Amino acid sequence: MIHLKLAWHGVTHHKQEYGPFLLASIVLIAINFIFWNVSLNKTLKAMAFGDATIEITKVAIVFISLISLFLMFYANSFLIKQRGEELGLYNMIGLSNSDLRWILTLETALLYAISLIAGLISGFAFLKLAFLILQKLLTLKQSLDHFELYAVYTTAMIFALIFLALLFYNFYRVHTNDPIHLWNQSFKGEREPKSKKTLAVLGVVILAWGYWISVKTKPNATAFTGFVLAVILVVLGTYLLFIVGSIVLLKVLKKQKKIYYKPNHFIAISGMLFRMKQNGAGLASICLLCTSILVTMVGTLSLYVGENKLINSWNPYDIMFTTEKRLTSKQQRTINETASKYNISLSKKKQITMTTPSAGSIKKDKFETNNIMNATLQLSSLTLADYNSIQGTNIKLKKQQILLYDVSSKFNKKHITIRGQRYQVKKINNFKFAFNYQHAIVQPIFVVAADKSICSAINPQPEMVVSGFNIGGTKTNQLRFANSLQKNMKLSNETYTAAPIFRNLFQSLFGSLLFIGSLVSITLIFATALILYYKQLSEGYADRKRFQTMQQVGLSQKETKEAIRSQVLLVFMLPIVGAAIHFVFCIPMLKNILSLFSMYNTKILAGVSIVTLFVLAGGYLCIYFLTTKVYQELVNKK
Amino acid sequence: MNVLDLNHVRRIFADDKKNKVIALKDISFSVDKGEYVAIMGESGAGKTTLLNIIATLDKATSGSITLDNFDLNKLPEKQTAKFRREHLGFVFQNFNLLDTFNNRDNIFLPLVLAKTSYPEMEQRLRPLAEQLDIKSLLERYPHEISGGQKQRVAAVRALITKPDLVLADEPTGALDSHNTENLLQLFERVNAQGQTILMVTHSAAAASHSKRTLFIKDGQIYHEIFKGDHSRAEYLKKIMTSLAALSSKEV
């Protein structure tokens, strides 16, 4: 009974510490619960591309579970440090270690019960909303709203395991501490950290290397490896710089007597110097969390917003396919028959002959063929006559003149050298048959030459015929037509592309990516807020005595406030500024990755980036004001 | 000339109308420039309250208190901090040195808050460090030195602002007898150079280094002894006698 009482006392008398812990576990449980419901949803499973959504959700579940584990451990290590004093006291006045274990067990059970019940209730409450949003994002007609009992079970199990792990960790902590040690834990004297210049320089070098890779990597098949390497380097560099670099910087500042011996700097620099040793890692984590929120949101939002552009760039005509020769009348008939079967109207039927694209890249004003791994482009050529008849234009070209169309309109030179021959370039802004051959990850580029011989001089690949037409009819019929046409015409996936199929795929793919990206971002934001809150709380405790002494010696309330503000602001600004810088250097990389999805629109990326950055900074500022208040209260508490 | 003047100072703590605690009933005394006054009394006699009021950390309920011609009751809340760092020096029982500063910066703290220039701070520190023998400790941190050394550093921090009055709250409370003796001799020396000191203490031995001892009981000045021309031993004896009388019930 006494154990239960002490456990209850422990939780209810440390609201400031346990409150956020509970809030975080409730949110995490609710999000886990929602994710499990999505991954188990039967309606989704029965849909054509529902599998994609479910697979993405499963990845997200693993990610969220890991974040939960990490976050709960972080919060717990803070809690057990604070509780150490109290448990030491219990131990001193005669409670045995097994009594302490009992108290901890009851406490953990209590916390688990509260978080699970509240988490599931809020999960239920938001499930309807979540499904509604997902339905909108996937543009589905039927409702997804369905609750799975199994989701309750798995969520409860995952968190039971996490809480159990926390409990054993706390047992270990209590076990390894003798009472005197327990008692003194909260006020240990610490040495001033050493300045490790070499490591700091290494941090700068590693970070710069990561940035350099991000900026320099070309959008080809190896881009993904570069991306992973850049991420690893940036993570490493960030930790090194925050942990070691910050101390080096503060020490340099401390040596500048004119800067150091100013009231605000004096308090902030000396305080931070000791703080950074323990908090460098925490701040680096916050910085990386913010960066990943930015990248996730910008990536998923850009895909979602740019969906139509992507479909148009892949499918300037609703249905497109390539064949070796011009369509036979039999093939024409098949198309017409399939169309009438599904009540589909056909319009703007066009055929064009061009050379089969060859992979390569443009260096300065020279096109070089590469193997597909290093290629960033695929170049195809067609005759001026074909071009004029498709576009309805009447352009004339000399032998050394070409028309050039590239989707991203990056090329802006007056001349280009292809296969040793120099041509004068006229750029065109519109080409109705600009399509992505074989849905390649490289960007298509089209060259229009005066006649056939120049065409094959530019690209000596065999000719192919590209056919395209638009279709009209109901959405369902369009999809059915697109699917059965491919079958009837015996076209392979590489040679056939249909807008209805892509629209369907992209809507479920990008919609679910955005849905899950947002939920993951919310979780990350909570993680950031929680880490910041506990950081502020522990600093408030550590600084209370410091500021009280300074007030006695002559620091006024107003100056205290200012000193706290400048110190807290510095701590807060570091990660978000770091995240913004990371993000800026990540943009070229992000652009490359997106262009693998044939997204070449920089405007969308820029717009989405700016909006996301502002929203994140706004939320971050809110957390700042809230936690600063807690900190001030703690410091001024007598 | 009086540095400190207290006239019928009264301090009542009241949570509500029923629960009233009279911490200081009626206190009047003054401290001359260059004096060294010890205040003795049992726990709960009101010593801490008295010290807090003089230190501008608390305000008297009634009565007047002037320090260096400033009426402390009329001193606006916002200026108390500035007042403290310009007029008062503090020596605490627990030293109250900050672990995040080395000893030099701990000493500089009140000067930095007063926005003193670095060369001036160094200039002020040099003679004091010499006199209190802490030159070799300046670059080290408080947790790296002994209690006696810490209190010397704290004393330098109190003196470096050239305060009108040094307030010492049980300065020897956490020191062993050897260090206690050292610190008290140091206080005497500083006082001999003209520094006014007001010290609250439990220890008769500590009080015997002062020039005058005031005894407080139940929020009132109960008794007062001057050292005058007496030897330290005689003065100490008189303090002990007064203390015995103070603690006996019939008073």
Side-chain angles (χ1 to χ4, degrees), chain A residues 144-391:
Chain A
L144 289 168
D145 197 3
H146 181 73
F147 151 71
E148 284 286 341
L149 197 61
Y150 188 69
V152 176
Y153 171 71
T154 44
T155 311
M157 279 309 289
I158 288 174
F159 278 83
L161 285 177
I162 291 178
F163 273 86
L164 208 61
L166 295 184
L167 184 62
F168 280 116
Y169 174 74
N170 291 348
F171 280 177
Y172 171 76
R173 282 291 293 265
V174 171
H175 179 75
T176 50
N177 282 324
D178 62 274
I180 296 169
H181 192 81
L182 265 182
W183 217 19
N184 290 331
Q185 209 171 43
S186 326
F187 25 90
K188 249 187 253 166
E190 261 196 274
R191 259 163 215 297
E192 193 189 63
K194 287 207 175 67
S195 190
K196 291 170 188 146
K197 285 196 185 111
T198 355
L199 274 180
V201 171
L202 189 69
V204 174
V205 170
I206 289 178
L207 193 64
W209 186 15
Y211 284 167
W212 191 78
I213 289 178
S214 169
V215 174
K216 282 288 166 190
T217 303
K218 297 242 155 57
N220 58 28
T222 55
F224 196 73
T225 336
F227 180 70
V228 173
L229 184 63
V231 168
I232 292 171
L233 287 173
V234 166
V235 167
L236 253 175
T238 308
Y239 275 105
L240 267 179
L241 273 187
F242 271 91
I243 297 171
V244 189
S246 58
I247 289 173
V248 172
L249 180 70
L250 287 167
K251 285 232 169 176
V252 168
L253 283 178
K254 197 178 161 182
K255 289 231 174 73
Q256 307 299 311
K257 302 222 161 10
K258 273 199 177 145
I259 297 173
Y260 181 51
Y261 289 109
K262 290 265 182 312
N264 274 353
H265 302 164
F266 191 58
I267 298 165
I269 292 175
S270 67
M272 294 272 293
L273 200 50
F274 280 80
R275 215 54 54 66
M276 282 319 270
K277 204 166 103 187
Q278 312 134 352
N279 287 348
L283 291 178
S285 308
I286 294 172
C287 175
L288 293 172
L289 279 174
C290 288
T291 314
S292 39
I293 293 171
L294 281 172
V295 174
T296 315
M297 282 318 288
V298 169
T300 50
L301 263 174
S302 302
L303 284 176
Y304 187 75
V305 173
E307 185 183 295
N308 279 328
K309 288 219 173 220
L310 175 52
I311 292 170
N312 287 341
S313 87
W314 275 15
N315 273 71
Y317 292 91
D318 287 342
I319 304 285
M320 294 184 84
F321 49 87
T322 55
T323 45
E324 281 172 27
K325 302 226 163 66
R326 292 188 85 83
L327 293 184
T328 60
S329 54
K330 197 184 157 206
Q331 281 171 316
Q332 300 270 20
R333 215 167 35 244
T334 317
I335 295 171
N336 288 333
E337 278 165 9
T338 319
S340 60
K341 191 175 159 197
Y342 293 102
N343 278 328
I344 291 293
S345 61
L346 304 176
S347 58
K348 294 189 182 166
K349 274 201 239 174
K350 290 272 155 65
Q351 288 186 61
I352 190 170
T353 307
M354 55 174 88
T355 55
T356 309
S358 43
S361 53
I362 292 180
K363 291 218 175 87
K364 282 182 188 163
D365 59 352
K366 201 169 171 208
F367 176 82
E368 290 167 356
T369 48
N370 300 111
N371 76 29
I372 190 74
M373 287 307 283
N374 299 321
T376 56
L377 301 167
Q378 53 179 359
L379 181 140
S380 183
S381 56
L382 59 145
T383 60
L384 182 67
D386 278 336
Y387 177 80
N388 276 336
S389 88
I390 289 294
Q391 300 287 113

